[in-house]
């Protein structure tokens, strides 16, 4: 998990290292199933910055309802070197059945 900064950047050294992404690594963005997908792509329009951060484009953030300074879940998929950025609303949806069951409700 990490929080976007006031410029829409994410930074997690462990995630970048797991993906093998160093400063200068070019990436391409897409949206699928309500998440932002980031792929290593030498023809990509953006690169990992010198401090290991990555700016999520505003249009993509809006498309999946991620605001500035919001926390997101980062999932590093080692093959094919893909990063998936999940909005917090997904965690709420995923955990609701478990919370309901714990509180004695139906699952």
């Amino acid at each position: 998990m990490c929080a976007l900064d006031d410029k829409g950047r994410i930074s997690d050294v462990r995630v970048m290292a797991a993906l093998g992404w160093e400063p200068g690594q070019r990436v391409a963005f897409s949206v699928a199933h309500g998440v932002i997908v980031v792929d290593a792509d030498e023809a990509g329009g953006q690169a990992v910055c010198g401090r290991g951060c990555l700016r999520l484009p505003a249009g993509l953030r809006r498309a999946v309802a991620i605001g500035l300074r919001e926390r997101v879940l980062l999932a590093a998929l080692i093959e094919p070197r893909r990063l998936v950025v999940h909005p917090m609303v997904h965690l709420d949806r995923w955990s609701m059945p478990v919370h309901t069951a714990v509180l004695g409700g139906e699952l």
Side-chain angles (χ1 to χ4, degrees):
M1 300 221 26
C2 79
L4 276 71
D5 69 9
D6 61 347
K7 293 181 171 62
R9 294 177 298 202
I10 55 172
S11 180
D12 189 306
V13 175
R14 293 169 297 183
V15 169
M16 296 299 173
L19 290 166
W21 292 359
E22 296 181 0
Q25 170 66 56
R26 307 295 299 176
V27 296
F29 298 92
S30 60
V31 171
H33 306 284
V35 299
I36 296 175
V37 179
V38 189
D39 285 296
D41 183 345
E42 293 309 315
Q46 193 179 138
V48 175
C49 81
R51 295 185 323 244
C53 61
L54 192 60
R55 188 183 60 77
L56 301 178
L60 297 180
R61 292 192 319 264
R62 279 191 297 273
V64 299
I66 296 174
L68 296 178
R69 300 188 185 268
E70 271 189 42
R71 294 189 66 75
V72 293
L73 173 66
L74 303 178
L77 308 175
I78 305 308
E79 283 301 323
R81 295 181 66 197
R82 177 172 290 156
L83 175 64
V84 180
V85 182
H86 296 271
M88 290 303 292
V89 68
H90 283 202
L91 298 179
D92 292 340
R93 288 184 195 138
W94 295 337
S95 62
M96 187 57 68
V98 172
H99 296 161
T100 300
V102 167
L103 293 172
E106 299 272 328
L107 188 63

